[in-house]
Amino acid sequence: MALSFMEGNEALARGAIAAGCNFFAGYPITPATTIFNSMLNMLPPKGGICIQGEDEIASMGYCIGASMAGKKVLTATSGPGISLYSEQLSFAIGSEIPLVIADVQRLGPSTGSATRGADSDIQFLRWGSTSGVPVIVLAPKDALDCYVLAVHAFNYAEEFRCPVFIASNKEIGMTRESFDLDSVTLPPIVERNLFSGDSYLPFEAEPDAAPPFLPIGGKTLVRQTSSTHGPDGYITIDPEVIAENQARLREKIHSARKRITLFEEDIKENSDTLIISYGVTARAVEDAGKTLESKGKPVSTLTLKTLWPVPEELLIEKAKPFKRILVIEMNLGQYVNEIKRVLCDKKVTFYGQMNGVLITPAKIMEVIENE
Amino acid sequence: MNSYLNKTRPPVYCPGCTHEKITKGLDKAILKLNLPADKTVIVTDIGCSGLFDTFFNVHALHGIHGRALTYASGLKLANPELNVIVTMGDGGLGIGGAHVLASCRKNLDLTLIILNNFNFGMTGGQYSATTPTDAMVGSGFLNHAEIPLDICAIAQSAGATYIDRCSGHDESLPGKIAAAIEHKGFSIIETLGMCTGRYTKKNQLTPKLLDQMITDLPARDGIIEKNQRPEYGERYRALAKEKNTFPEAVTIEKQIDLKDYQQQEVVILGSAGMRIVTAGDIVCYAGLCAGMNVSMKNDYNITVLRGQSVSEILISPEKIGYPGIESPSVVLALSDEGVQRRKKIFATLKPDTFVLKERTVTIPETNANVVEIDFRKFKIKKQDWALASLGVMAKKEKAINKKMLKYALKSRFTEKVYLIAMETIEKMT
Ligand code: SF4
């Protein structure tokens, strides 16, 4: 047996390469910079392109242009960069431009702490764009997840023609760890659905799907626009056309919710408590679970890897047998609000920490036992 | 074909707007060059100049204010065959200034047509980065306190290889646009025009006055000799081509069988310049050589050449969950700054924790088993203290043994560096 040894950021970059990513543009920011470094080392030998934009806004613009030319694109940043991405994100969301965005989160708000971890951006990623159109956010818990979720992220971006976020964390991205790279089974690669009919309308689509794609620069002329558009890609003010498009942008993600729900669980039959967590915190939760089991006080754990769209069916199903639901987050309570909304008939309690250090298994046990 | 204009979507500008002239001029330029429509894209942003893409039968990308050059760059890099033409008003020029500068510096083969009509037409004639100081515009007195910029002068100092400027009413406009498109590299053509809907309502401006402005401004007519250099895309591709080795992941074969190995937590407390992270790496490699799972967290300052450097390593026969340190088995105290950073752990250490303390370092009170070493006595330089400490750990079989350490150094270093490292290790074992 041989184990590979790398940072979460490098694993994410390797996952992107495995998914067929051939374009990266980004701007250096701790703790995401090593994704850029990795892509700069990995893309040129594969014939791909890696660019450092003049700023974050430009980096996203390069990605949008390249994606519209048919490339599979990745960018990487941290919270302050997501702030700057926002206007371009709204464009990519509303105009259905596939992108994968790694957000290696750090402690906010604002400049915050460059080298301190936190799950700062969980609501920001969902709502940090205009109009409230749904996005997909995946959350890795370790380097292996960074590798695998990068492939899922590209698959979703291609299928749904939307930005997909990987909500990593300094404590994953910049932690080096071992995993068995060779034994990982990656999901099959999904490619963009290319239009094959006669008369192409760039935004004509089934009511619950993304439109088929054709690249700018191909034989058929393509229009892309950030403005409110009809199927032909020209500005429209027709309320029916607008409403249909808005509904479709929601529906294409919502109707696929169950299929894009990724998670891990460890359900103990004789436990009455379910602990829900995500990201690096899930590792401490799982360790706490093991210790409690050895003490004869088992608890069950659910680790969410898809945060948005909220896996509502999964939450309802998994929470059903439990008296007590405890949510743990590396912030002062962001995702717990979604869980409370979905599990409105359950007692949902919360522990969060926002001080730049990891929540320890000991702290989690204390929370469970003292409640 | 006698026009690329979209007959079903005729221009919708205010009567007398110079944009209409430029639309026709661009059409004639594309015709003149006989550009294939499917290999041509017009990229626009917001405002009246942002309507351009809708009037032409070519590929189109209409995006956010000031950002057109960013999309254009992405398109061109992804598909070098494309003829990429960008239109931008003086509004987009102000907002997207950073992208104009970057495009000048890069020299990617794009053509930027700036439609300067001295104000924001669409939103009510507010002042822009090019509004004359004494003009009467929709921003009240605010422009009277500022001066307009000359984008051509800025572009030249930013390294643009091609800069031209003319009135939008100039008969030679189509030829000038065509020449700009033909230039291999980033080309800028600034057109001066009249916004009849807003600007000329309160400011006198005629085609004749525009000509006068052109005469009064420094002359521009294309190639900037002193800025000539290779086109960015070609340069990029030539440089990237030299990078032909894909960096495979670091993968370490299991070479040693360890019996009854318990999870170890190693904390290395040092300073920048002491190769703490490298030492941490070696500890991890040592674990990997024995088929163990490992994880390593590093803590150092943003100013990498100063301050503490801390490495925290877990080695475990099980899959590692929580990646933080809970109960260290080994602590290497190699500098005061490093110790200060983790001073709280010393009180929690168990009696069987092995603490290696460099002679000059002060540590807080602890129940741990503390061994003091004077590396200077062994003639070991400060930057090798961390490495030497690994020799001590291996000798005392704390977390690693000599065999593991040897394999680790072999996998981590070249033969030459390995031999030098082993010299240091031998001194300690
Ligand atoms: S507002 Fe000004 S720039 Fe816009 S169409 Fe009218 S005249 Fe032209």
Side-chain angles (χ1 to χ4, degrees), chain A residues 14-322:
Chain A
R14 289 190 185 279
I17 297 286
C21 169
N22 47 16
F23 189 98
F24 178 96
Y27 189 81
I29 182 170
T30 306
T33 308
T34 45
I35 297 180
F36 167 58
N37 295 347
S38 297
M39 294 310 276
L40 188 54
N41 288 328
M42 291 178 200
L43 276 175
K46 298 250 175 206
I49 298 165
C50 181
I51 295 291
Q52 177 177 318
E54 55 270 26
D55 56 29
E56 280 87 348
I57 299 173
S59 302
M60 272 292 281
Y62 291 2
C63 286
I64 285 173
S67 181
M68 282 313 299
K71 297 283 181 193
K72 291 176 100 167
V73 307
L74 173 73
T75 185
T77 190
S78 189
I82 298 288
S83 304
L84 288 166
Y85 281 7
S86 178
E87 61 171 27
Q88 303 277 35
L89 273 171
S90 298
F91 179 14
I93 292 167
S95 303
E96 305 182 76
I97 302 166
L99 299 171
V100 176
I101 298 150
D103 175 14
V104 188
Q105 297 170 92
R106 63 194 223 186
L107 186 84
S110 186
T111 319
S113 308
T115 57
R116 297 284 165 261
D119 286 327
S120 278
D121 308 337
I122 299 305
Q123 289 287 347
F124 186 36
L125 293 178
R126 170 60 185 89
W127 299 105
S129 54
T130 49
S131 277
V133 173
V135 295
I136 298 172
V137 180
L138 309 179
K141 68 170 188 180
D142 55 18
L144 171 62
D145 272 356
C146 287
Y147 182 64
V148 177
L149 292 186
V151 179
H152 282 291
F154 272 95
N155 284 349
Y156 297 154
E158 294 297 310
E159 179 182 349
F160 301 105
R161 288 190 59 174
C162 67
V164 176
F165 294 97
I166 302 172
S168 183
N169 179 312
K170 180 258 160 188
E171 296 287 1
I172 301 167
M174 291 182 71
T175 297
R176 294 188 78 179
E177 57 183 328
S178 57
F179 67 95
D180 188 355
L181 186 63
D182 295 331
S183 72
V184 178
T185 338
L186 292 173
I189 306 298
V190 176
E191 297 297 350
R192 223 169 281 185
N193 173 19
L194 293 182
F195 179 77
S196 56
D198 296 326
S199 55
Y200 182 57
L201 291 177
F203 295 99
E204 190 175 50
E206 295 300 319
D208 60 352
F213 181 86
L214 282 179
I216 286 180
K219 283 215 167 63
T220 305
L221 296 185
V222 172
R223 277 194 57 73
Q224 177 55 282
T225 176
S226 55
S227 298
T228 303
H229 48 264
D232 58 4
Y234 286 101
I235 287 185
T236 183
I237 50 164
D238 181 334
E240 268 174 46
V241 176
I242 295 173
E244 249 172 51
N245 193 51
Q246 294 281 343
R248 187 176 60 74
L249 290 175
R250 279 182 82 78
E251 231 4 69
K252 70 172 179 182
I253 308 260
H254 274 173
S255 63
R257 188 160 60 204
K258 279 196 202 160
R259 188 155 58 82
I260 56 184
T261 292
L262 305 172
F263 66 98
E264 274 176 42
E265 62 182 329
D266 187 5
I267 305 295
K268 301 275 187 298
E269 279 194 359
N270 45 352
S271 64
D272 65 356
T273 300
L274 176 68
I275 311 176
I276 303 176
S277 64
Y278 58 87
V280 70
T281 308
R283 299 167 67 161
V285 167
E286 287 158 11
D287 276 8
K290 274 186 209 137
T291 311
L292 287 172
E293 190 182 22
S294 67
K295 281 184 171 181
K297 300 182 210 163
V299 292
S300 296
T301 60
L302 176 63
T303 301
L304 299 178
K305 308 245 173 127
T306 302
L307 295 181
W308 304 98
V310 177
E312 298 186 359
E313 291 80 0
L314 176 87
L315 288 171
I316 291 167
E317 180 202 322
K318 298 296 173 194
K320 205 166 183 191
F322 295 95

Side-chain angles (χ1 to χ4, degrees), chain B residues 13-14 17 19 48 117 121-122 194-198:
Chain B
Y13 305 117
C14 304
C17 174
H19 287 7
C48 300
N117 61 12
M122 206 176 249
M194 301 187 306
C195 169
T196 50
R198 306 285 187 191

Side-chain angles (χ1 to χ4, degrees), chain B residues 38-63:
Chain B
D38 61 347
K39 288 278 163 266
T40 304
V41 57
I42 294 183
V43 185
T44 67
D45 66 357
I46 300 301
C48 300
S49 63
L51 299 168
F52 262 64
D53 59 279
T54 59
F55 305 138
F56 288 84
N57 283 319
V58 297
H59 290 286
L61 195 155
H62 167 82

Side-chain angles (χ1 to χ4, degrees), chain B residues 107-184:
Chain B
N107 198 34
L108 187 62
D109 188 13
L110 314 170
T111 305
L112 171 64
I113 304 173
I114 298 172
L115 292 87
N116 178 5
N117 61 12
F118 314 104
N119 77 149
F120 290 173
M122 206 176 249
T123 50
Q126 291 80 8
Y127 82 126
S128 73
T130 64
T131 306
T133 302
D134 50 8
M136 300 301 293
V137 290
S139 308
F141 61 87
L142 296 175
N143 63 300
H144 303 327
E146 289 186 30
I147 57 163
L149 60 76
D150 174 357
I151 188 57
C152 294
I154 291 169
Q156 174 157 348
S157 60
T161 51
Y162 189 103
I163 305 170
D164 200 354
R165 174 160 52 201
C166 68
S167 158
H169 296 259
D170 194 324
E171 288 298 320
S172 61
L173 180 69
K176 281 177 172 290
I177 296 177
I181 293 173
E182 269 194 306
H183 172 70
K184 195 172 180 108

Side-chain angles (χ1 to χ4, degrees), chain B residues 145 165 181 185 187 205 245 297 315 363 369:
Chain B
R165 174 160 52 201
I181 293 173
S187 52
L205 202 57
T245 326
K297 271 156 54 80
I315 311 175
I363 58 170
N369 160 28

Side-chain angles (χ1 to χ4, degrees), chain B residues 116-347:
Chain B
N116 178 5
N117 61 12
F118 314 104
N119 77 149
F120 290 173
M122 206 176 249
T123 50
Q126 291 80 8
Y127 82 126
S128 73
T130 64
T131 306
T133 302
D134 50 8
M136 300 301 293
V137 290
S139 308
F141 61 87
L142 296 175
N143 63 300
H144 303 327
E146 289 186 30
I147 57 163
L149 60 76
D150 174 357
I151 188 57
C152 294
I154 291 169
Q156 174 157 348
S157 60
T161 51
Y162 189 103
I163 305 170
D164 200 354
R165 174 160 52 201
C166 68
S167 158
H169 296 259
D170 194 324
E171 288 298 320
S172 61
L173 180 69
K176 281 177 172 290
I177 296 177
I181 293 173
E182 269 194 306
H183 172 70
K184 195 172 180 108
F186 183 60
S187 52
I188 287 192
I189 173 161
E190 185 192 18
T191 64
L192 304 188
M194 301 187 306
C195 169
T196 50
R198 306 285 187 191
Y199 190 78
T200 58
K201 291 221 147 48
K202 284 192 185 147
N203 302 281
Q204 210 207 350
L205 202 57
T206 60
K208 222 175 166 175
L209 285 169
L210 287 173
D211 287 341
Q212 189 58 48
M213 287 175 87
I214 293 289
T215 318
D216 294 346
L217 284 161
R220 299 286 172 188
D221 59 357
I223 299 284
I224 306 292
E225 275 309 332
K226 72 174 178 82
N227 288 344
Q228 292 312 302
R229 60 191 188 279
E231 192 265 340
Y232 176 84
E234 286 187 351
R235 189 80 191 110
Y236 175 91
R237 286 185 287 278
L239 290 169
K241 216 170 162 188
E242 288 167 22
K243 307 274 171 238
N244 47 23
T245 326
F246 183 80
E248 296 299 340
V250 168
T251 302
I252 312 272
E253 288 287 339
K254 175 175 174 183
Q255 321 193 37
I256 303 167
D257 242 328
L258 288 181
K259 295 210 165 49
D260 307 324
Y261 190 87
Q262 302 286 319
Q263 171 158 326
Q264 300 291 320
E265 303 188 5
V266 179
V267 181
I268 312 179
L269 305 172
S271 294
M274 294 180 75
R275 301 180 183 163
I276 299 300
V277 176
T278 308
D281 240 8
I282 295 165
V283 174
C284 288
Y285 277 51
L288 288 163
C289 290
M292 297 292 154
N293 299 284
V294 297
S295 85
M296 171 166 81
K297 271 156 54 80
N298 298 315
D299 171 2
Y300 46 81
N301 279 350
I302 289 290
T303 51
V304 286
L305 295 179
R306 239 183 232 287
Q308 90 291 341
S309 178
V310 171
S311 194
E312 296 172 321
I313 300 124
L314 298 180
I315 311 175
S316 174
E318 312 292 332
K319 192 172 163 5
I320 294 170
Y322 174 71
I325 296 287
E326 288 183 288
S327 170
S329 38
V330 175
V331 177
L332 306 178
L334 304 177
S335 87
D336 286 328
E337 306 178 280
V339 168
Q340 278 308 308
R341 195 75 185 192
R342 290 287 185 281
K343 58 180 183 230
K344 283 187 191 154
I345 60 167
F346 286 88

